[in-house]
């Protein structure tokens, strides 16, 4: 009689008890969708996975960058990198991407929902249309794409990585929608991790802190990262892949020791104190050296 996925996992886990090192993940068996692949963390994911032998489906809006990256990776690593341009603000982003992948004649076995952007400023002054786009890309798209591709990921024993942010761990004054969106991604993905246990799938959420990408340029100000010391996209991806390859990956991983300590401290401080600290940290007047009244 065939073993269930849970029984197969338990049956195959015995060598660890004897100190036997199991083989690392064979990335060559996977075709990975990477959204937001044209720059930053997404491009670093693409390069790291291609170097490990994965085929790729690169998704973003900037076709010139996608095609250049696709050509680079195919020539350097002998893999197949399919470039698909897609607007993730679409209310049908999930089925649209699934149809595009099928039309390209490829089959996805894993998914990295990396695309996202933020806005900065008091909520009352923000453009409602821009906020709707932010919610679509940061919240709706990961849900839609996860729903569209999880059956294939489960069938292939692949992985799902959703990219959140340190903003998920604390209220984010002046970035209220972005922080709320990333808190959703954190909770959503940790819930999926529990639901998918025993299904032969690795699912987790990755939370970077300040990273040297185009994030601040899109937001329009360096105040969005409050002068924090930057990690590199390669640092973030190394954290994610180390977690992916670990024996029993948990539901979430934070990139960088400093960020992990900060998340722990925020839990201890309580919500009132944390939001007041975050409000001061992201105050443009504070960063410019101007005097501002203390928050009460």
């Amino acid at each position: 009689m065939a073993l269930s996925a849970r029984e197969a996992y338990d049956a195959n886990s015995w060598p660890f008890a004897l100190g036997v090192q199991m083989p690392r993940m064979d990335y060559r068996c996977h075709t990975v969708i990477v959204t937001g692949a044209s720059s930053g963390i997404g491009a670093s994911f693409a390069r790291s996975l291609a170097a490990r032998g994965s085929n790729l489906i690169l998704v973003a809006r900037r076709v010139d960058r996608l095609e250049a990256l696709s050509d680079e990776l195919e020539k350097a690593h002998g893999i197949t990198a399919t470039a698909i341009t897609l607007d993730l603000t679409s209310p049908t982003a999930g089925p649209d991407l699934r149809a595009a992948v099928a039309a390209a004649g490829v089959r996805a076995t894993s998914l990295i929902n990396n695309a996202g952007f933020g806005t900065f400023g008091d909520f009352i002054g923000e453009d409602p249309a821009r906020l709707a786009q932010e919610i679509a890309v940061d919240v709706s798209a990961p849900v839609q794409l996860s729903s569209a591709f999880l059956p294939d990921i489960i069938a292939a024993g692949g992985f799902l990585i959703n990219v959140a942010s340190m903003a998920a761990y604390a209220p984010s004054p002046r970035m209220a929608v972005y922080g709320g969106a990333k808190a959703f991604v954190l909770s959503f993905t940790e819930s999926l991790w529990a639901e998918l246990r025993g299904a032969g799938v690795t699912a987790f959420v990755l939370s970077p802190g300040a990273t040297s990408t185009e994030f601040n340029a899109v937001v329009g100000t360096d105040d969005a990262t409050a002068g924090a010391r930057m990690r590199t996209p390669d640092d973030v991806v190394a954290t994610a892949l180390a977690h992916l390859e670990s024996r029993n990956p948990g539901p979430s991983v934070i990139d960088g020791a400093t960020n992990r300590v900060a998340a722990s401290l925020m839990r201890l401080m309580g919500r009132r104190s944390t939001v007041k600290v975050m409000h001061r940290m992201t105050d443009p007047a504070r960063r410019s050296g101007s005097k501002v009244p203390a928050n009460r």
Side-chain angles (χ1 to χ4, degrees):
M1 184 174 65
L3 295 177
S4 69
R6 178 72 260 174
E7 290 168 336
Y9 176 85
D10 290 339
N12 290 327
S13 65
W14 65 266
F16 287 113
L18 302 179
V20 177
Q21 181 65 44
M22 293 293 284
R24 296 177 64 176
M25 175 176 291
D26 188 353
Y27 290 94
R28 297 169 298 177
C29 297
H30 292 285
T31 298
V32 185
I33 298 173
V34 182
T35 68
S38 60
S39 65
I41 294 171
S44 182
F45 262 121
R47 290 189 173 97
S48 296
L49 291 168
R52 288 164 169 78
S54 292
N55 293 320
L56 299 168
I57 300 168
L58 306 177
V59 180
R61 291 182 302 167
R62 295 178 286 194
V63 62
D64 54 338
R65 289 197 183 188
L66 277 185
E67 290 179 348
L69 180 59
S70 175
D71 290 344
E72 170 199 328
L73 298 180
E74 288 187 339
K75 290 175 182 175
H77 303 292
I79 55 96
T80 299
T82 303
I84 295 178
T85 56
L86 187 74
D87 184 357
L88 291 175
T89 66
S90 168
T92 57
D96 289 350
L97 182 57
R98 187 168 179 85
V101 168
V106 291
R107 179 172 175 267
T109 66
S110 295
L111 168 64
I112 301 175
N113 280 309
N114 165 75
F117 74 92
T119 52
F120 185 89
D122 290 343
F123 175 77
I124 195 66
E126 294 288 352
D127 176 10
R130 184 64 168 166
L131 295 181
Q133 292 176 333
E134 186 176 6
I135 293 168
V137 174
D138 294 0
V139 175
S140 180
V143 173
Q144 287 197 53
L145 270 58
S146 297
S147 176
F149 290 99
L150 260 175
D152 289 342
I153 294 170
I154 291 170
F159 58 86
L160 168 67
I161 302 173
N162 289 332
V163 180
S165 165
M166 281 297 293
Y169 288 86
S172 303
R174 301 183 181 88
M175 299 186 75
V177 171
Y178 180 76
K182 293 305 183 179
F184 172 88
V185 173
L186 176 66
S187 179
F188 167 65
T189 312
E190 290 186 331
S191 298
L192 287 185
W193 174 87
E195 291 182 16
L196 293 169
R197 293 193 74 187
V201 175
T202 301
F204 65 89
V205 57
L206 166 68
S207 293
T211 309
S212 54
T213 67
E214 297 177 0
F215 181 84
N216 282 356
V218 173
V219 172
T221 175
D222 288 342
D223 292 318
T225 47
R229 183 175 180 180
M230 296 283 185
R231 299 269 290 171
T232 70
D234 288 348
D235 291 333
V236 175
V237 170
T239 294
L241 297 186
H243 191 73
L244 177 61
E245 294 170 8
S246 62
R247 173 185 169 185
N248 186 23
S252 59
V253 62
I254 295 172
D255 175 60
T258 300
N259 291 326
R260 290 191 287 272
V261 170
S264 297
L265 288 176
M266 286 187 284
R267 293 189 189 99
L268 295 174
M269 286 169 59
R271 304 295 285 182
R272 182 185 180 95
S273 295
T274 298
V275 72
K276 289 171 70 176
V277 167
M278 294 301 296
H279 189 262
R280 286 194 294 270
M281 286 180 64
T282 59
D283 190 336
R286 170 185 172 273
R287 280 177 45 77
S288 67
S290 302
K291 282 191 172 183
V292 293
N295 294 313
R296 299 186 184 279

